[in-house]
Amino acid sequence: MNTRKKVPMRKCVATGEMKPKKELVRIVRSKEGDVSVDLTGKKSGRGAYLSKEKDAVLLAKKKNILANHLEVTISESLYDELLELIEKENGSSK
């Protein structure tokens, strides 16, 4: 009998779409208040998921969604890091 493995789903905080965890990037706030991109998805702390799409990152930046969700100010460099990551992934898959 062929049993399918359950795909973990997460919700993008910017678009509100439910997607497989692998299609999203996790941003995590540690107990110290440091915010970073969590590529492994295993760092401890408060996490928020964003779609790996330029529009989702720009929307999160415009509406301050990550700052509200993680309850901490988000630096400009984090958004730049996210956009770079998305461009690298989209460039390598095409």
Side-chain angles (χ1 to χ4, degrees):
M1 208 163 144
N2 195 6
T3 56
R4 293 183 129 207
K5 195 172 183 183
K6 190 172 182 237
V7 177
M9 299 290 278
R10 297 291 182 268
K11 189 177 195 175
C12 172
V13 292
T15 62
E17 292 177 287
M18 290 294 285
K19 292 187 172 187
K21 192 175 171 183
K22 289 184 179 184
E23 290 180 23
L24 301 167
V25 63
R26 184 172 185 250
I27 295 87
V28 68
R29 183 199 74 210
S30 67
K31 285 183 180 177
E32 294 79 36
D34 301 324
V35 179
S36 60
V37 177
D38 179 14
L39 297 174
T40 62
K42 292 181 171 40
K43 282 186 185 175
S44 64
R46 176 94 164 115
Y49 289 90
L50 261 182
S51 294
K52 291 181 183 176
E53 297 168 7
K54 191 175 182 179
D55 294 342
V57 174
L58 295 175
L59 180 68
K61 183 178 179 180
K62 181 181 170 189
K63 292 190 174 183
N64 221 13
I65 294 169
L66 283 177
N68 293 336
H69 196 79
L70 298 174
E71 299 167 357
V72 70
T73 53
I74 306 292
S75 68
E76 194 75 28
S77 62
L78 184 85
Y79 290 111
D80 294 338
E81 188 181 337
L82 284 168
L83 290 169
E84 265 181 54
L85 179 88
I86 290 164
E87 282 182 27
K88 278 182 192 171
E89 283 204 6
N90 290 344
S92 65
S93 64
K94 286 182 182 174

